Amino acid sequence: PLYLFDHCFGEYPSTRALLKHYSVPPVFGQDLLELLGPLRPPYRWLLIGPRRSGSTLHKDPLGTSAWNALISGRKLWVLFPPGTPAEKLRPEVAADSAAAWFLLWWRRKREEWPLEAIEFIQEPGEIVFVPARWWHAVLNLEDTIAVTQNFCNEWNAA
């Protein structure tokens, strides 16, 4: 299913007002990428997706961390620490869709998984923190709306 990632919602006149309805949680306030000014790569997104859409297994770009604030719906997350070998995660299975990775691979492997993994359901109003360099995949269990932002602080830059 189609999953909308709109990184320009803060710039469009028709959607710019959405920025007034949330603020960056103070714990995630420091962002060294702000120093890049107009050269800053896309960093915040409005996410709208139907049930069974999601994000395939990946690490966030440029060694950034991220936070994800869920407005409506429910999301299933699984995170793997940075030292998890990519070949153990079989990211090529996730190439088709997040649903394919969760249903065809992870559901069969998770009971016998020998390495560390964190799996949980995000509910509306909750904010998830994804540390830099952590593998993660997300499956929308219901129609969802969320705001997410990547950032780089002193911890990422070290």
Side-chain angles (χ1 to χ4, degrees), residues 8-148:
C8 293
F9 77 96
E11 285 77 49
Y12 297 134
S14 60
T15 55
R16 187 178 302 132
L18 293 173
L19 294 175
K20 297 177 186 173
H21 295 282
Y22 81 93
S23 59
V24 174
V27 69
F28 306 128
Q30 181 190 38
D31 188 356
L32 299 174
L33 294 177
E34 290 176 345
L35 300 173
L36 295 175
L39 299 176
R40 182 181 194 171
Y43 65 99
R44 68 176 170 220
W45 292 265
L46 174 64
L47 310 176
I48 301 173
R51 183 172 73 88
R52 294 189 348 248
S53 64
S55 297
T56 58
L57 187 68
H58 68 285
K59 292 182 183 183
D60 285 340
L62 304 174
T64 58
S65 294
W67 57 266
N68 180 292
L70 187 58
I71 298 165
S72 66
R74 297 170 67 231
K75 293 177 177 279
L76 174 62
W77 289 75
V78 64
L79 291 89
F80 302 93
T84 307
E87 61 274 7
K88 294 275 189 204
L89 297 173
R90 300 200 24 148
E92 69 277 1
V93 173
D96 290 339
S97 71
W101 187 85
F102 274 96
L103 297 173
L104 301 177
W105 191 79
W106 179 241
R107 190 163 84 178
R108 286 187 271 151
K109 294 289 187 184
R110 74 173 169 222
E111 296 304 321
E112 61 192 52
W113 187 252
L115 304 171
E116 183 181 357
I118 300 170
E119 182 178 344
F120 59 92
I121 294 175
Q122 182 185 19
E123 301 287 346
E126 294 180 342
I127 298 174
V128 169
F129 169 65
V130 180
R133 296 176 282 285
W134 279 59
W135 289 99
H136 55 287
V138 184
L139 180 65
N140 292 326
L141 301 175
E142 301 172 355
D143 296 348
T144 63
I145 300 174
V147 176
T148 190

